[in-house]
Amino acid sequence: MKIILASKSPRRIELLKLLKIDFEVIPSNIDENINEKDPKLLAEKLSYLKAMSIKKDGVVLAADTVVTLNKEIFGKPRDYKEAFRMLKSLSGKWHTVITGVTIKFKEEVITFSEETNVKFKNLPKELIEFYINTARPFDKAGGYGIQELGSVLVEKIEGDYFNVVGLPISKVWDILWDRGIIDASKGEINK
């Protein structure tokens, strides 16, 4: 039984490597433009669609992350102007990062989401411009990555740090462990 990560996200790949298990990367190729206004349901639906798009046998793990502030959903910014607007909107405020996760295993499909609250410090215009010009925020929900230069934007967080990066690895581990997919005594996936 092989674990398949339905994502090409370098951050999710690195997080899954932390678990010291073998996995294969097969990116999903779904249309992420779905009509859903609830950020939690959006993240969960997208993770579900990504997982279900993988037809290969194994344990399929898919995730999608959204950022939300006052019920507005911040996905990946399309351009400089949108990235600036997102970061300016988040400046000095608490916002919520929601990662939806789906694990498909044999006949079982588990979908859940994790929420982490993040507070940005007050961001001067020059810092936002510097960040956008140096950090390539266009493949990140909310226009920032906490694990890299985006860390200078953050004042504090409440909840799972790894969820903000893109995958709540502790909960993923628990699900894989509880179902006997991971055999920690051997450091490998059960066959």
Side-chain angles (χ1 to χ4, degrees):
M1 190 66 61
K2 180 171 248 170
I3 292 183
I4 299 164
L5 177 63
S7 175
K8 63 183 177 211
S9 161
R11 292 160 299 281
R12 289 194 182 104
I13 292 168
E14 287 304 311
L15 288 176
L16 204 52
K17 284 180 181 178
L18 293 175
L19 300 182
K20 306 290 186 201
I21 56 176
D22 291 327
F23 63 95
E24 177 183 359
V25 175
I26 302 177
S28 64
N29 193 16
I30 65 158
D31 180 4
E32 294 190 24
N33 295 313
I34 64 172
N35 188 17
E36 178 55 65
K37 302 298 182 201
D38 182 291
K40 179 180 175 189
L41 291 177
L42 176 63
E44 290 178 357
K45 283 181 181 179
L46 287 171
S47 76
Y48 179 84
L49 291 171
K50 288 176 181 182
M52 299 313 281
S53 74
I54 305 300
K55 302 303 181 196
K56 192 169 181 181
D57 286 340
V59 178
V60 178
L61 170 63
D64 193 82
T65 301
V66 298
V67 171
T68 182
L69 172 69
N70 300 326
K71 298 190 180 187
E72 182 181 357
I73 297 171
F74 295 79
K76 298 171 187 169
R78 291 181 296 262
D79 55 30
Y80 185 98
K81 185 176 178 181
E82 189 173 29
F84 188 91
R85 182 193 66 77
M86 286 181 184
L87 295 171
K88 187 70 177 162
S89 296
L90 298 173
S91 176
K93 298 181 183 117
W94 282 98
H95 60 277
T96 303
V97 178
I98 303 169
T99 300
V101 178
T102 298
I103 300 172
K104 181 175 73 165
F105 172 59
K106 295 183 180 175
E107 302 301 314
E108 184 176 20
V109 178
I110 301 159
T111 299
F112 68 92
S113 57
E114 179 73 19
E115 297 185 15
T116 303
N117 295 314
V118 179
K119 184 171 192 274
F120 270 14
K121 57 188 174 185
N122 289 315
L123 307 177
K125 176 180 180 250
E126 297 78 18
L127 177 56
I128 295 172
E129 290 170 345
F130 173 79
Y131 179 77
I132 295 170
N133 288 325
T134 57
R136 295 181 301 262
F138 306 108
D139 70 335
K140 299 166 184 77
Y144 75 96
I146 195 171
Q147 73 285 358
E148 31 191 56
L149 185 59
S151 61
V152 303
L153 310 176
V154 176
E155 185 174 307
K156 61 177 99 172
I157 72 167
E158 293 177 350
D160 184 341
Y161 165 82
F162 295 106
N163 183 58
V164 182
V165 179
L167 190 66
I169 57 175
S170 181
K171 281 192 176 180
V172 169
W173 174 271
D174 289 346
I175 290 168
L176 298 176
W177 176 274
D178 290 346
R179 280 154 185 79
I181 297 166
I182 295 174
D183 183 345
S185 67
K186 297 178 186 172
E188 63 186 35
I189 300 167
N190 280 332
K191 305 290 183 217

